[in-house]
Amino acid sequence: MKMDYKLQVGVQSHLEQMGSLDDRSMHDLDDECLYSPEMDAQKTQSADSHERVSLSGSLAVGGSKMIRNCVYKSIKTVVFSNKLNLLMAFGPLAILVHKMTAHNGWVFFLSLLGITPLAERLGYATEQLAFFTGPTVGGLLNATFGNATELIISIYALKSGMIRVVQLSLLGSILSNMLLVLGCAFFCGGLVYPGKEQVFSKATAVVNSGLLLMAVMGLLFPAVLHYTHTERHAGKSELALSRFSSCVMLLAYASYLVFQLKCQKDLYAPIDEEGSQNGENSDDDDDEAPEISKWESVIWLAIMTAWISILSDYLVDAIEGASEAWNVSIAFISVILLPIIGNAAEHASAIMFAMKDKLDISLGVAIGSSTQISMFGIPFCVVIGWMMGQEMDLNFQLFETATLFITVIVVAFFLQEGTSNYFKGLMLILCYLIVAASFFVHEDRSSTDESKQPQT
């Protein structure tokens, strides 16, 4: 009996131990269920999501800081890097004077001062963009945006019916680029390099001279038709010929662009001392780098163009009042004063490139700009006036057409050798002084009659 009792007790204790083991195993199983790999994955996912949120937050803060730094750096580079930009304050001042007073002389003067740094910064942004486009497209961009000021002023004047101001300002832009801008480039380049003659592509000069002569032909025939009184339909043939010639000139300029970009890609390649084009002679170019990015250049071009458009509206409205207040003819203001301000970008760019012995780019900016105004700007304004119902023609009157013809012949003679020095530059500058003096004493009857028409 004792043996059976002991055996029973041992079996019972054994069973209790197994029960406790089962309980522990159940608890372990529950723990394993509670801490399964799925729970670990969920925990890691939640931790990763917290990290992503914190990382995205830090990236957003860092991205906004980077954007602010880029904007601050861009404004500092473009606006505050040049002392000439202090004149930008005169733009809002011109608008304020226009709103508060009726003194058109001051509005015109302050608008001119306000546009001057904008035109120069427009050239700067174009130059920065040219780093990303190559020399040929860069030269075209310099000529295009360098003429943006004159074209904007011309469109506003055309909208106001001031056809004579449009004609004279575009003519003055051509004369200023060919004589003053190119002359200053030759003169400054010759002073920096006094011991040698700077060289440029003779082929480029010949092509541009031919286009300028074609533009003179387009302006000459309507004037001759008018002054010889040989129109088949009085008052209509001259306008019809002008519009047809404008379309032909636009076609010729488009063909010139295709020729320049497709067939003559090395048109602005550097020229060595022997007169051959040398693409390897660009060690100095490697030292230069753009100061702002491509998209920054595009944005600044848009901003400057928009601000110039706003000031041009006030400038055009104040031209007649400034002429009366200063006792200066509208012809002198349109041919001399407006182009000097509008050509500030070309003036600075052409001189800068000439002083770096890159005379081909200077030639592309100065003569290329004249070619663009004569073969695109003037015909474009005739077509735009046609669309607006304004009867703008290519009859620039006898005195103005003769001045342009003689200027083109003189510049063509200076360019035919393919070399430049400070003496040639000085001669071109002196020729411009003669032209300026001529328009100072010249009374343009057409602009006077045009200014009196709105008052009647």
Side-chain angles (χ1 to χ4, degrees), residues 161-235:
M162 304 170 68
I163 296 175
R164 193 60 183 154
V165 172
V166 177
Q167 292 178 331
L168 293 175
S169 63
L170 292 176
L171 173 69
S173 179
I174 299 172
L175 298 175
S176 174
N177 276 299
M178 284 197 297
L179 295 176
L180 183 62
V181 176
L182 187 64
C184 289
F186 282 1
F187 183 74
C188 294
L191 291 181
V192 174
Y193 300 95
K196 69 169 187 177
E197 281 195 331
Q198 292 179 292
V199 293
F200 53 86
S201 174
K202 194 184 299 184
T204 306
V206 169
V207 171
N208 281 282
S209 299
L211 287 171
L212 288 170
L213 284 171
M214 180 180 177
V216 170
M217 184 175 67
L219 300 182
L220 184 63
F221 287 141
V224 172
L225 191 68
H226 175 78
Y227 283 99
T228 55
H229 304 288
T230 55
E231 297 177 87
R232 291 187 61 187
H233 304 284

Side-chain angles (χ1 to χ4, degrees), residues 150 173-188 339-340 342-351 354 362-363 365-367 369-370 425 428-429 432:
E150 292 95 326
S173 179
I174 299 172
L175 298 175
S176 174
N177 276 299
M178 284 197 297
L179 295 176
L180 183 62
V181 176
L182 187 64
C184 289
F186 282 1
F187 183 74
C188 294
I340 287 179
N343 290 332
E346 289 102 320
H347 215 142
S349 299
I351 292 175
S362 296
L363 198 71
V365 171
I367 300 299
S369 181
S370 300
L428 290 174
I429 295 172
Y432 185 75

Side-chain angles (χ1 to χ4, degrees), residues 258-297:
V258 173
F259 170 76
Q260 196 174 26
L261 293 175
K262 299 294 183 182
C263 304
Q264 298 288 326
K265 293 184 179 181
D266 57 347
L267 205 59
Y268 292 100
I271 306 296
D272 58 20
E273 301 249 340
E274 285 76 21
S276 61
Q277 288 188 339
N278 185 9
E280 299 176 357
N281 193 15
S282 59
D283 296 335
D284 295 336
D285 297 343
D286 297 335
D287 298 335
E288 298 179 5
E291 298 178 6
I292 56 177
S293 66
K294 178 171 67 175
W295 289 111
E296 285 179 277
S297 304

Side-chain angles (χ1 to χ4, degrees), residues 2-19:
K2 290 181 178 179
M3 290 294 294
D4 294 337
Y5 177 75
K6 290 180 179 179
L7 180 62
Q8 187 177 2
V9 172
V11 170
Q12 188 176 359
S13 64
H14 182 67
L15 289 173
E16 289 176 355
Q17 290 176 358
M18 290 184 64

Side-chain angles (χ1 to χ4, degrees), residues 89-158:
F90 288 103
L93 186 60
I95 298 176
L96 186 64
V97 171
H98 176 79
K99 298 293 184 182
M100 297 181 63
T101 67
H103 202 297
N104 288 326
W106 278 108
V107 174
F108 181 82
F109 178 70
L110 293 173
S111 299
L112 274 181
L113 292 179
I115 287 177
T116 302
L118 295 175
E120 192 275 332
R121 288 290 91 182
L122 199 68
Y124 170 80
T126 307
E127 177 193 342
Q128 296 299 308
L129 188 59
F131 279 105
F132 304 96
T133 59
T136 302
V137 179
L140 291 174
L141 285 173
N142 267 302
T144 302
F145 282 99
N147 292 323
T149 305
E150 292 95 326
L151 289 176
I152 292 170
I153 292 174
S154 299
I155 290 173
Y156 274 99
L158 197 60

Side-chain angles (χ1 to χ4, degrees), residues 8 24 52 54-55 93 107 109 111 136 160 233-234 236 249 270 313 319 333 380 382 389 392 438 447 454:
Q8 187 177 2
R24 283 197 300 270
R52 288 196 193 98
S54 61
L55 183 61
L93 186 60
V107 174
F109 178 70
S111 299
T136 302
S160 302
H233 304 284
K236 296 182 179 180
M249 291 163 71
D313 193 13
I319 286 179
I333 292 176
F380 177 75
V382 171
M392 177 176 172
S438 301
S447 60

